Amino acid sequence: EAGVAQSPRYKIIEKRQSVAFWCNPISGHATLYWYQQILGQGPKLLIQFQNNGVVDDSQLPKDRFSAERLKGVDSTLKIQPAKLEDSAVYLCASSLGPSAKDTQYFGPGTRLTVL
Amino acid sequence: AQSVSQHNHHVILSEAASLELGCNYSYGGTVNLFWYVQYPGQHLQLLLKYFSGDPLVKGIKGFEAEFIKSKFSFNLRKPSVQWSDTAEYFCAVHPGGKLIFGQGTELSVKP
């Protein structure tokens, strides 16, 4: 079965520019997650969707980050404007449901460098 | 706030050596515990998980972990490591709602 797809794989931008990341989850997975992984740290959940509704966005910096999953399948994460501290790998994951027993499958990530 | 602490940032072992990676969490209630692994150039993937029952759980590739409730620990072990075990290992807890990851331990196995 196809895994979680993400694009682009790498992105370099200047601070104050905007950037968008795309994620296509595993077919049939209702729950989608976006994580931020800063170098030397573990992934940190930014936002969780159940179908096209937001379940948890408590750690999403809403003044500059936004995310949507309009049709309950693909999702985009946007940063506008970017700051130097946004340099990180952005991981998308999906699972059948939101339960701890539903394994989360991760994509390859997008490595963002903000100069 | 819930947190996960991994004791070692970088571990270097020779092949056939035994491995133990420490993981402690801070959460007083029922927890679900995980170890994830990221091999070089690959996606983060699940290594093993604990929900309830036997506190010694076995995962893929000969790994196992022991849940010790009194110590709030979930250490990862392997009796004999191989060069192919070189990877970054993440402990995570799911106290209800979301996964919380530790900072990761990089394991380098020398052939």
Side-chain angles (χ1 to χ4, degrees), chain B residues 27 34 88 98:
Chain B
Y27 183 71
F34 305 81
E88 189 154 21
K98 62 186 175 188

Side-chain angles (χ1 to χ4, degrees), chain A residues 4 9 33 35 37 40-45 48 56 58-59 91 98-108, chain B residues 6 9 32 34 36 38 41-46 49 51-52 88 90 94-104:
Chain A
V4 177
R9 293 295 309 277
Y33 313 81
Y35 289 87
Q37 185 176 13
Q41 299 181 20
K44 181 184 82 172
L45 181 69
Q48 176 182 340
D56 184 345
S58 57
Q59 297 195 91
L91 296 168
S99 165
K101 292 181 169 61
D102 294 315
T103 298
Q104 293 189 26
Y105 295 88
F106 286 80
Chain B
Q6 293 185 237
H9 181 63
N32 303 292
F34 305 81
Y36 277 81
Q38 187 166 25
Q42 295 188 28
H43 306 182
L44 197 61
Q45 59 184 286
L46 183 65
K49 56 192 176 184
F51 298 129
S52 63
E88 189 154 21
F90 293 92
H94 194 298
K98 62 186 175 188
L99 268 177
I100 299 169
F101 285 88
Q103 67 268 44

Side-chain angles (χ1 to χ4, degrees), chain A residues 19-67:
Chain A
V19 64
F21 312 128
W22 173 82
C23 172
N24 183 244
I26 292 172
S27 178
H29 280 193
T31 311
L32 185 147
Y33 313 81
W34 283 102
Y35 289 87
Q36 180 192 58
Q37 185 176 13
I38 293 172
L39 187 65
Q41 299 181 20
K44 181 184 82 172
L45 181 69
L46 291 176
I47 189 167
Q48 176 182 340
F49 291 95
Q50 180 66 21
N51 296 307
N52 61 351
V54 175
V55 174
D56 184 345
D57 64 357
S58 57
Q59 297 195 91
L60 187 74
K62 297 180 188 65
D63 57 334
R64 298 183 301 107
F65 286 64
S66 64

Side-chain angles (χ1 to χ4, degrees), chain B residues 30-90:
Chain B
T30 301
V31 289
N32 303 292
L33 297 159
F34 305 81
W35 276 96
Y36 277 81
V37 61
Q38 187 166 25
Y39 297 103
Q42 295 188 28
H43 306 182
L44 197 61
Q45 59 184 286
L46 183 65
L47 194 57
L48 51 77
K49 56 192 176 184
Y50 172 79
F51 298 129
S52 63
D54 187 345
L56 185 63
V57 293
K58 296 189 184 301
I60 59 172
K61 303 186 179 184
F63 285 90
E64 63 180 31
E66 185 176 14
F67 169 55
I68 302 180
K69 188 175 181 180
S70 61
K71 295 184 178 181
F72 297 90
S73 71
F74 190 56
N75 292 354
L76 182 70
R77 300 195 294 246
K78 187 171 185 180
S80 175
V81 295
Q82 300 173 315
W83 176 79
S84 58
D85 294 324
T86 293
E88 189 154 21
Y89 293 81
F90 293 92

